[in-house]
Every structure is written in structure tokens, then in C-alpha cells.
Amino acid sequence: MSQLLFRLIRKLVVQPAVDWYTREQVVAQLEQVAGLGSPVTIRGPIKFGNPEVTYLANDVSMNPGFVSKGTGRLFIGSHVHMGEHVTIITDNHNFEVPLTLPYDKGHVAKDVVIGDCVWLGDRVLIVPGVTIGEGAVVAAGSIVTRDVPPLAIVGGAPAKVIRERNREAYEHLKAAGSYLGMPRDHDLVNRRRVRLRRANRQTVAPPQPSVAHELHA
């Protein structure tokens, strides 16, 4: 009887409370970011380390375990989808000419830019200063240490170009406006509709490299 009662309490009281708290934490962070497009799909928990310099464009999708940290700016383009436990770092300790060892108290900020229609697999790590071009795919478990060309499929540690996506098919879908889960006019946080405040917010990431650029390994 005691086990049954415990399960009922966990199902009817504890889990709803945890779900509510996680959802409210996600909503609070989204309403602090510098730029927030519409709609977004977020499954928490997530953590924006520096929301004041974080910019999300339209139709961004994040999954549990997302973490961004650092003093540099983070730009995430439209229709970007992420797997679980993605980590993005936007600064580094000063170790090049430090005042102490192994590094000093200073931090070197480097912006990270993720272009439109990028797919980041589970447990991807992106280091400071990286730009990921439009339409790129980053395989699960990759550590991205340098820029990724548009439409490239990369993987490994450090991530290297494996091949290129079908350019003609990509451009056809883009021209037709065929995006996964769209059109949609509402935000989703932990699978529930929410209303996010977006007053006086920027909603777009900076200009990105064109997919017409040549692919370099």
C-alpha cells in the first residue's frame, strides 16, 4: 500500500510540480534574451549563461541539456534544430599572454554564429569564435573547433567535413518554405503552449554566408 501511495503522490503531485518549475525556468530565460523570434520550441531544462547577448531567430528548437556560457555573443538563425545536451561556449580563459599560470582572470570573448536551417546532433560542443554556415549538419558527439561551410555535413573531434548536402534539393525546399513543424503561430515549452513576452526585442541573427559559397574541407 505504501508503494502504491508513493507512486500516486509522485505522479499526481511531485511530477506536475517539477514540470511546472522546469517550464517556468525556461520561460523566464527566454524572456531575458536579447533577441527572440517566433515561434520557438523548447524542451527544458536549458541554461543561457549570458542571455543579454543571446539572439534567437524564428522557429528555433532546443532539447533538454542545452547550455550556453561565456561573455561573447551567441546568434542562432531561423529553423535551427538541436539534439540533447548541446553546449556552446563564447569565451575562453586568457592563456596566450597571461599574468598567472595556467591562465589569468581575464576572459577573451568570441562570438558564435549558427546559420539558418542548421541541425546539431546530441552532445555537440561548439567552441568560441565558430560560425556554422546555413544548412549545415553537425553529427552527434562532434566538437566544432573551426568554421563549418554552408551545407556541409561534419563530424568528429575535432569536427571535419564528411560530405555536402544536396544543394539542389535544399534550395528547392527553401524556396517552397518547407520547414519541419511549420507553419505554427504559437510557442511550445515542454510540449505546452505558452505566451512569451517579446517587447522591443531583435528577432534576427546577423548576415550569414551564402549556400552558394564553395565547400572547403
Side-chain angles (χ1 to χ4, degrees):
M1 178 65 73
S2 60
Q3 289 186 350
L4 178 60
L5 179 60
F6 174 77
R7 290 175 182 174
L8 286 173
I9 293 174
R10 184 174 61 180
K11 180 179 180 180
L12 300 177
V13 179
V14 177
Q15 192 59 53
V18 170
D19 292 343
W20 174 86
Y21 178 78
T22 302
R23 186 168 60 252
E24 289 302 304
Q25 287 286 89
V26 172
V27 169
Q29 291 185 80
L30 289 171
E31 293 183 342
Q32 292 176 24
V33 299
L36 183 61
S38 178
V40 293
T41 303
I42 312 293
R43 289 183 58 217
I46 62 172
K47 177 63 177 177
F48 292 117
N50 199 352
E52 294 80 7
V53 289
T54 298
Y55 301 83
L56 278 64
N58 299 318
D59 186 34
V60 172
S61 177
M62 294 177 173
N63 275 298
F66 170 86
V67 174
S68 67
K69 53 185 177 179
T71 55
R73 296 177 299 173
L74 171 60
F75 297 93
I76 299 177
S78 296
H79 314 295
V80 170
H81 284 231
M82 302 183 189
E84 297 185 2
H85 301 288
V86 169
T87 300
I88 301 175
I89 305 172
T90 62
D91 72 11
N92 205 347
H93 292 290
N94 178 32
F95 65 91
E96 295 288 355
V97 189
L99 300 176
T100 57
L101 295 175
Y103 48 78
D104 62 28
K105 294 181 179 179
H107 285 78
V108 180
K110 294 184 179 180
D111 298 345
V112 171
V113 179
I114 300 175
D116 292 344
C117 302
V118 167
W119 175 22
L120 304 177
D122 289 353
R123 301 188 182 280
V124 165
L125 171 62
I126 301 172
V127 305
V130 165
T131 293
I132 299 181
E134 177 182 344
V137 175
V138 181
S142 297
I143 300 178
V144 186
T145 61
R146 60 179 180 174
D147 290 354
V148 175
L151 294 184
I153 299 174
V154 302
K160 297 180 180 180
V161 175
I162 300 170
R163 61 184 177 89
E164 183 183 16
R165 298 183 68 176
N166 185 302
R167 194 174 291 259
E168 182 179 353
Y170 179 90
E171 292 289 7
H172 174 75
L173 291 171
K174 181 179 177 181
S178 297
Y179 301 107
L180 180 65
M182 294 293 285
R184 196 180 79 245
D185 61 359
H186 57 273
D187 300 303
L188 289 173
V189 173
N190 289 12
R191 297 191 175 94
R192 289 200 176 187
R193 292 191 181 195
V194 297
R195 182 174 295 178
L196 298 171
R197 291 174 294 183
R198 290 180 169 85
N200 301 319
R201 303 290 177 85
Q202 299 180 42
T203 59
V204 295
Q208 312 170 60
S210 168
V211 295
H213 285 189
E214 292 298 322
L215 179 68
H216 297 285

